Amino acid sequence: MEPIDYLVALEPWAALSPGDRARLAGALERRDFAADDGLFEAGEMPPGVFVLTSGQVRVTDGSGAVLSEIGPGAAVGGRRLLRDAPNPLSARAIEGGSALVVPAGLFRELARDYAPVRDFFRIDAPARTRPRSLVTTRVAELMTPGPLAVPPATTVRAAAQAMRKAGVSSVLVGEDGALAGILTVRDVSSRVTAEGRDPACPVREVMTADPVALPPGALGSDVLHLMMERGISHVPIVDGGRIVGVVSKTDLTRVQAESSGEVIGDAAAAGDVAELARVTARIPDLLAQLVGAGNRHEVVTRCVTDVADAVTRRLLALAEAKLGPPPVPYLWAACGSQGRQEQTGVSDQDNVLILSDDVSEADDAYFADLARIVSDGLHACGYVYCPGDMMATNPRWRRPATDWRRYFLDWIARPGPEARMLASVMFDLRPVGGARDLFEGLAGETLEAAARNSIFAAHMTGQALTHQPPLGFWRGLATRRSGAHRDTIDMKMSGVVPIIDLARIYAIRGGLPPVNSRARIEAARQAGTVSGKGGRDLLDAYDVIAEARLEHQAAQIREGHAPDNFMAPGRLSPFERSHLRDAFLVVRTMQSAAGQRRGVL
């Protein structure tokens, strides 16, 4: 693929005319970089817009705070070039790769001539990542502001040329800022070309006069319903009688395209890792959209995990296409948050390979290559390598089914510190791709053995109680006292993890098959492993904590930052802080009950 072909497949470069594409093709520079290389530093003007084709780059502000980490398909540098002001940001590689550089001078010309380029890199670009649903999003967030407009006397030819140059499909017709009509590309085709009109005629003769318009405060769903009712594809936006914007079907599609179904479909159809990385780059917007639409936390995390599953299965298919059919059946299983179907906007990878007992030593070379291809692909897609090396690339976690049975039964029979830690991870295993029958017997046998062994359950309970909710001496919220995340709460390790650990204990004690934490607590209530009241209280506490964590991440995404788990309680209202504290008190109470090893908690 030629560099220009890669570029124009991405927004906003697809809007360029053939002539400007050719001009850009001749000016593009390829820049290779190694890990820790700087693309540009704070105080410097970027030499151009860097569009990554491979590798990972971290963008930081003047204080060194990480603003984002970007991968293939993403661009950096354009916003600062448009402002033509000293650059407060640094861009430094965290993984070697390459980028296409659009020279600064040419970029400014393209931004001047093409609204899509200019808008893509506009100063308030973070607003473009706000969580959006058509039933909750105002038209002001959807519309293209400052739309192309011409006087009624403009010729159709001139209007069509202006649309082509701007890369848009409609032009508003106005007099002194007031809306008089609209002309679309379809109008030019059906009312001018098809009817043999002279393109030198004025647009007033072929435009749709006095088109229906909406105010900026209308909802996206109002636009959609209007388009469907009238059979139109563009709606002008008017405020106080003045033209302020236009919304097209493309704008609505952009909002709706971030549904998990669309993202999963694109992942399943991706032809290579770079394409998959462009798909997973949309996950933050997906998460923010789902949270903003009011979905419950278990719905959001399930949708985000479904994307990871689809990416994993596509990488397995790409690996098999490269390596050939596997010599024996295998199962790729996920553990950790992916195994529990609880992924958020921050996830590393935890995975294992369970192989058929027919595997030979010679076959391991195939599965080692398969594991490497998939794990590297996941890393490129934002699911970074597991710091603890809990990955199928590690020979210890790439074993025949018989060895896995032995692993689990040994951990249960001899629950030392390492066994307790590993069991905490491995009891969250879930099949993702391959021969699922390799797991079915293993899961049932392991749960049965664990439920029978009260000593193992007691050890696992002790392991679970190592993570405490963030409560101070006077039962107030206790924040971190030092470090980069001072005055924040770790909503993962101090927030949801204590509940995840409790849910796993309930599953082990009751021999309960669910892997998802909320489903485990529900099953424990039904089985009597936890009391009805205790289970209800813990579910309510889980909902409060998990949703606060997701709201925090969604807010970071809306502000243009990479999501994390460190939430500042000071940003919450007193009401929200009170509910969060009460939720943590419930968790502490349930931990105390678990520590006393009561028969019914």
Side-chain angles (χ1 to χ4, degrees):
M1 177 184 291
E2 293 294 323
I4 189 63
D5 294 329
Y6 177 88
L7 199 65
V8 299
L10 304 172
E11 292 288 340
W13 316 103
L16 302 185
S17 68
D20 282 325
R21 290 186 184 191
R23 191 157 64 107
L24 180 56
L28 275 179
E29 302 171 10
R30 178 188 175 92
R31 183 78 58 86
D32 295 323
F33 51 83
D36 206 43
D37 281 355
L39 276 60
F40 53 80
E41 300 293 340
E44 299 176 352
M45 285 296 291
V49 178
F50 291 78
V51 182
L52 270 62
T53 58
S54 63
Q56 298 283 322
V57 169
R58 177 178 290 131
V59 181
T60 57
D61 63 16
S63 67
V66 178
L67 300 180
S68 62
E69 292 183 353
I70 62 174
V76 64
R79 199 180 310 168
R80 184 53 45 185
L81 288 172
L82 286 183
R83 294 188 69 175
D84 198 20
N87 184 36
L89 307 180
S90 298
R92 184 167 295 276
I94 54 178
E95 176 186 308
S98 63
L100 298 176
V101 183
V102 181
L106 177 56
F107 168 72
R108 291 193 180 98
E109 292 179 25
L110 296 174
R112 181 194 64 209
D113 295 338
Y114 291 88
V117 176
R118 184 169 60 253
D119 290 345
F120 188 88
F121 292 98
R122 62 188 179 183
I123 303 308
D124 59 347
R128 297 171 65 91
T129 64
R130 279 179 250 181
R132 299 189 291 181
S133 165
L134 292 183
V135 296
T136 59
T137 304
R138 299 292 179 184
V139 163
E141 298 180 43
L142 294 173
M143 70 182 189
T144 299
L148 182 65
V150 299
T154 305
T155 66
V156 171
R157 177 182 289 111
Q161 290 172 340
M163 283 190 277
R164 183 183 65 181
K165 185 173 184 180
V168 296
S169 56
S170 70
V171 59
L172 300 183
V173 183
E175 292 183 290
D176 299 324
L179 179 67
I182 185 172
L183 182 72
T184 68
V185 170
R186 186 170 64 180
D187 293 335
V188 174
S189 174
S190 62
R191 300 176 185 175
V192 180
T193 305
E195 294 181 4
R197 286 177 177 263
D198 184 352
C201 69
V203 294
R204 69 165 68 92
E205 296 182 7
V206 295
M207 71 182 186
T208 298
D210 299 319
V212 62
L214 289 173
L219 296 177
S221 56
D222 296 331
V223 179
L224 177 62
H225 296 160
L226 188 61
M227 288 181 175
M228 295 179 67
E229 181 182 347
R230 302 291 184 93
I232 56 179
S233 55
H234 299 77
V235 175
I237 308 304
V238 176
D239 188 14
R242 311 286 293 180
I243 297 171
V244 294
V246 64
V247 177
S248 69
K249 275 190 176 179
T250 302
D251 296 321
L252 300 188
T253 301
R254 187 177 299 118
V255 175
Q256 295 174 310
E258 292 305 333
S259 70
S260 59
E262 288 283 346
V263 177
I264 289 169
D266 290 346
D272 54 29
V273 172
E275 193 173 346
L276 275 172
R278 290 193 288 275
V279 172
T280 56
R282 293 154 54 189
I283 290 177
D285 284 344
L286 170 63
L287 182 144
Q289 175 195 328
L290 292 169
V291 172
N295 291 288
R296 289 177 57 87
H297 68 92
E298 68 268 27
V299 174
V300 177
T301 55
R302 173 62 184 269
C303 289
V304 172
T305 305
D306 285 349
V307 175
D309 289 356
V311 170
T312 303
R313 285 190 286 267
R314 185 59 186 149
L315 287 168
L316 287 167
L318 292 173
E320 288 189 21
K322 179 177 181 179
L323 301 174
V328 297
Y330 71 88
L331 172 70
W332 185 281
C335 40
S337 60
Q338 185 181 1
R340 296 188 305 273
Q341 296 178 302
E342 294 168 4
Q343 285 190 316
T344 65
V346 187
S347 295
D348 60 4
Q349 56 175 291
D350 299 281
N351 45 66
V352 305
L353 266 175
I354 301 174
L355 309 175
S356 165
D357 286 335
D358 295 330
V359 68
S360 67
E361 288 187 18
D363 295 333
D364 186 62
Y366 176 96
F367 292 110
D369 287 343
L370 180 137
R372 176 183 49 78
I373 291 171
V374 177
S375 184
D376 288 351
L378 288 171
H379 183 78
C381 291
Y383 306 100
V384 298
Y385 300 126
C386 173
D389 203 21
M390 183 69 71
M391 298 181 294
T393 49
N394 184 337
R396 189 180 184 186
W397 311 129
R398 188 177 67 246
R399 305 299 303 168
T402 297
D403 287 358
W404 282 104
R405 281 185 173 82
R406 178 172 53 79
Y407 279 168
F408 276 107
L409 295 178
D410 284 351
W411 294 334
I412 293 168
R414 289 178 287 276
E418 184 188 42
R420 295 196 299 270
M421 183 272 293
L422 293 173
S424 296
V425 177
M426 293 302 180
F427 269 98
D428 295 349
L429 276 181
R430 180 176 60 85
V432 173
R436 292 172 179 262
D437 59 322
L438 289 172
F439 185 71
E440 292 172 359
L442 173 64
E445 182 181 333
T446 301
L447 270 174
E448 184 180 347
R452 289 197 311 263
N453 193 321
S454 59
I455 296 176
F456 173 72
H459 278 281
M460 290 299 293
T461 300
Q463 177 75 17
L465 300 183
T466 58
H467 299 109
Q468 294 291 315
L471 293 170
F473 184 76
W474 298 108
R475 295 191 171 187
L477 294 176
T479 59
R480 298 164 68 96
R481 296 183 178 181
S482 61
H485 303 292
R486 182 179 177 180
D487 298 328
T488 66
I489 293 172
D490 186 340
M491 294 297 289
K492 177 182 177 181
M493 300 309 296
S494 300
V496 296
V497 166
I499 303 171
I500 291 167
D501 289 343
L502 283 171
R504 188 185 300 111
I505 291 302
Y506 301 156
I508 290 172
R509 289 185 178 181
L512 306 173
V515 176
N516 175 265
S517 297
R518 205 175 196 285
R520 280 172 164 168
I521 299 171
E522 289 278 14
R525 286 183 60 214
Q526 295 174 13
T529 309
V530 63
S531 68
K533 181 182 183 305
R536 284 192 301 272
D537 287 349
L538 188 58
L539 285 171
D540 289 344
Y542 187 27
D543 292 344
V544 169
I545 296 167
E547 287 175 7
R549 179 192 185 198
L550 286 177
E551 289 283 0
H552 162 70
Q553 293 188 2
Q556 290 180 304
I557 294 165
R558 288 195 296 271
E559 294 165 3
H561 304 311
D564 62 28
N565 290 301
F566 301 98
M567 186 183 75
R571 298 188 65 172
L572 302 177
S573 70
F575 179 82
E576 291 170 322
R577 287 198 299 273
S578 176
H579 273 264
L580 191 60
R581 182 202 61 203
D582 290 345
F584 287 134
L585 285 171
V586 169
V587 177
R588 174 179 284 182
T589 299
M590 297 302 289
Q591 285 184 324
S592 177
Q596 295 173 26
R597 296 192 296 276
R598 297 173 182 171
V600 177
L601 305 183

